[in-house]
Amino acid sequence: MAAAKIKKGDRVIVLSGKDKGKTGTVTLAMPKDGKVVVEGVNVATRHRKPSQTNPQGGLERTEAPLHISKVAHVTADGKPTRVRFEVKDGKKVRVAVKSGEKIDG
């Protein structure tokens, strides 16, 4: 699989689905599955019965993984951009395609 263009800690925007337009931070990246978990996006609700560990029971809300193609990196002005790899000073760095600014490193 190709190198990860979106990593943990990146600010991303959702491009499609019920949460289209929402932005958030990547809390978990799963490059082998091609999925990411974004904070506050794609929240799944489960009804839990009271148990020994959770005597109250109730609704359990957790963020579900999104496919990596549904999110894009966000530039400083809040617009989505693609990510390209470039070699600068002998190091491979991620670069925003729209602005040309370095993302990390």
Side-chain angles (χ1 to χ4, degrees):
M1 187 148 217
K5 293 189 176 184
I6 295 177
K7 296 181 179 180
K8 182 179 175 179
D10 286 353
R11 296 261 320 138
V12 295
I13 187 166
V14 180
L15 300 174
S16 65
K18 64 177 183 176
D19 293 320
K20 181 179 178 178
K22 285 189 182 178
T23 59
T25 308
V26 175
T27 55
L28 176 69
M30 298 180 274
K32 285 187 178 175
D33 300 331
K35 295 185 182 236
V36 289
V37 175
V38 183
E39 188 178 324
V41 174
N42 198 25
V43 177
T45 306
R46 292 194 65 168
H47 296 259
R48 291 289 190 184
K49 287 170 79 173
S51 64
Q52 202 84 41
T53 55
N54 184 11
Q56 184 65 39
L59 299 176
E60 183 183 277
R61 291 178 176 86
T62 55
E63 287 107 6
L66 278 170
H67 196 270
I68 208 159
S69 65
K70 288 189 171 216
V71 297
H73 203 277
V74 174
T75 56
D77 60 352
K79 293 188 177 172
T81 182
R82 297 190 315 278
V83 176
R84 166 188 330 134
F85 287 99
E86 289 181 4
V87 178
K88 291 187 179 179
D89 304 326
K91 282 196 167 188
K92 186 175 167 185
V93 293
R94 294 185 302 158
V95 176
V97 172
K98 278 191 180 173
S99 61
E101 65 186 41
K102 200 161 62 165
I103 294 172
D104 60 356

